[in-house]
Amino acid sequence: MSLSTMSATPKKNLMLFSGRHHPELAEQVAKHLDVSVTPQSAYSFANGEIFVRFEESVRGCDAFVLQSHAAPINDAIMEQLIMVDALKRASAKRITVVMPFWGYGRQDKKHRGREPISARLIADMFKTAGADRIMTVDLHTSQIQGFFDGPVDHLFALPVLVEHIKTAYAGEDIAVVSPDSGRVRLAERWAETLGGTPLAFIHKTRDPRRPNEAVANRVVGEIEGRLCVVIDDMIDTGGTAAKAVQALLSQGASDVVVAATHGVLSGPATDRLSTCGAREVVFTDTLPIPDEKRFPTMTVLSIAPLLARAVHAVFDDGSVTSLFDGNA
């Protein structure tokens, strides 16, 4: 007697794919997951067009496509989009875009008329390309999660950075400092995680018509005689961080440490940070930081263990929130 249906036990198969902009991070994530990065052919034509082909079958796999949106940022984003499209057309079962740094994240709203909301455009492009899910670290603003029509795993580098501060500066009188009023909520979480340290912020002004320029005005909070930890999600040209360090030292801070998730480090950032008077500048490696942009007081922490745990949780249909003690 023949049956009208066929039954099969579904099997899950995790495959990790890496763009060309931060292969070291992908290799570290693969090592923590005990998998290998899927081999691929990827190159650019003479006119800049990008080609990607995977060397193994991806049919039915749970695909994780890791790419850091590093400079040249448009090439990085386009390459990741092409990888997602290739996976969709090759019948991958689920495609998760892993972008440790969300490119164009600062363009999350209109400051004036006739401006784009480019962070939303990035989300729309990945959805159109075929992404089912996005995983990212420390968005510029949390509202960006709502730009993508699907699950967004918003990971926090705070545990990684805080653990370093706790270890390196145990016994110091610490004050957590937000570089502007927009980061006060994040500073509150830092202060709570460090055991209820004092909180301060720097009142600054910024002209929306002049990007990457800020004027540090005055420190609000009690920081005299304390080691100040200036926190931020990213440092681009380093102007805001350098002025914050100088303002804190001039108003009585005993020392200043700068801690940020994303080291964009454009233009004069290295010179500014290495000469601003900070005792240490700490980043994670969500973006590649080449040797020529490093200096003796810079520390770069690995974000790979956190990404690997999140990838494993998603693949295993587990809880990503639990990685952050319910605060994710």
Side-chain angles (χ1 to χ4, degrees), residues 14-307:
L14 185 155
M15 297 183 78
L16 181 65
F17 305 85
S18 170
R20 294 177 292 168
H21 285 249
H22 199 354
E24 300 84 5
L25 178 59
E27 289 292 346
Q28 290 177 39
V29 172
K31 185 177 179 181
H32 284 282
L33 288 169
D34 198 22
V35 301
S36 58
V37 177
T38 305
Q40 65 188 31
S41 298
Y43 53 83
S44 299
F45 291 100
N47 69 345
E49 290 182 8
I50 297 167
F51 172 85
V52 176
R53 180 183 184 274
F54 304 114
E55 303 294 344
E56 297 179 4
S57 171
V58 300
R59 184 179 300 275
C61 78
D62 203 344
F64 293 83
V65 187
L66 195 156
Q67 175 82 300
S68 288
H69 294 175
I73 189 169
N74 297 323
D75 288 352
I77 292 169
M78 194 66 202
E79 181 174 273
Q80 196 173 21
L81 286 165
I82 289 171
M83 292 172 73
V84 170
D85 183 75
L87 286 166
K88 179 182 72 172
R89 296 177 190 281
S91 301
K93 187 172 186 179
R94 180 172 65 172
I95 303 170
T96 300
V97 169
V98 183
M99 48 168 95
F101 174 70
W102 187 302
Y104 289 87
R106 283 174 287 188
Q107 297 182 37
D108 60 334
K109 59 180 176 292
K110 293 172 69 171
H111 295 279
R112 297 181 298 157
R114 302 181 297 282
E115 290 185 351
I117 303 180
S118 305
R120 169 62 192 261
L121 178 62
I122 295 295
D124 288 344
M125 288 195 297
F126 277 105
K127 188 66 178 178
T128 300
D132 297 298
R133 188 183 197 104
I134 289 179
M135 182 180 294
T136 189
V137 182
D138 282 347
L139 289 168
H140 190 59
T141 52
S142 294
Q143 72 197 39
I144 294 174
Q145 294 174 81
F147 291 174
F148 182 73
D149 187 16
V152 174
D153 297 304
H154 184 198
L155 312 181
F156 301 109
L158 184 146
V160 178
L161 294 166
V162 165
E163 185 59 35
H164 173 77
I165 298 296
K166 279 182 174 179
T167 304
Y169 302 102
E172 301 253 15
D173 287 330
I174 293 176
V176 177
V177 181
S178 169
D180 55 37
S181 57
R183 289 280 167 267
V184 170
R185 182 65 61 85
L186 176 61
E188 287 175 346
R189 290 183 52 211
W190 264 82
E192 182 183 335
T193 309
L194 284 169
T197 60
L199 195 63
F201 75 93
I202 294 174
H203 182 267
K204 72 175 184 181
T205 57
R206 187 189 292 275
D207 187 341
R209 292 166 295 186
R210 303 183 69 179
N212 298 119
E213 286 189 32
V215 179
N217 292 336
R218 61 191 178 89
V219 179
V220 180
E222 183 55 53
I223 54 96
E224 190 169 347
R226 291 182 175 273
L227 171 74
C228 291
V229 181
V230 179
I231 54 97
D232 211 342
D233 65 316
M234 74 170 80
I235 293 181
D236 189 353
T237 60
T240 297
K243 288 174 182 174
V245 172
Q246 291 156 9
L248 290 165
L249 290 173
S250 69
Q251 296 194 33
S254 62
D255 243 328
V256 182
V257 174
V258 178
T261 304
H262 310 296
V264 181
L265 303 180
S266 305
T270 296
D271 287 338
R272 287 174 174 173
L273 293 172
S274 61
T275 60
C276 69
R279 182 168 163 183
E280 185 182 21
V281 180
V282 187
F283 295 109
T284 70
D285 60 351
T286 54
L287 291 168
I289 302 178
D291 289 340
E292 61 269 20
K293 290 188 176 181
R294 301 197 181 202
F295 48 89
T297 54
M298 179 190 289
T299 301
V300 181
L301 307 174
S302 177
I303 201 72
L306 175 64
L307 288 174

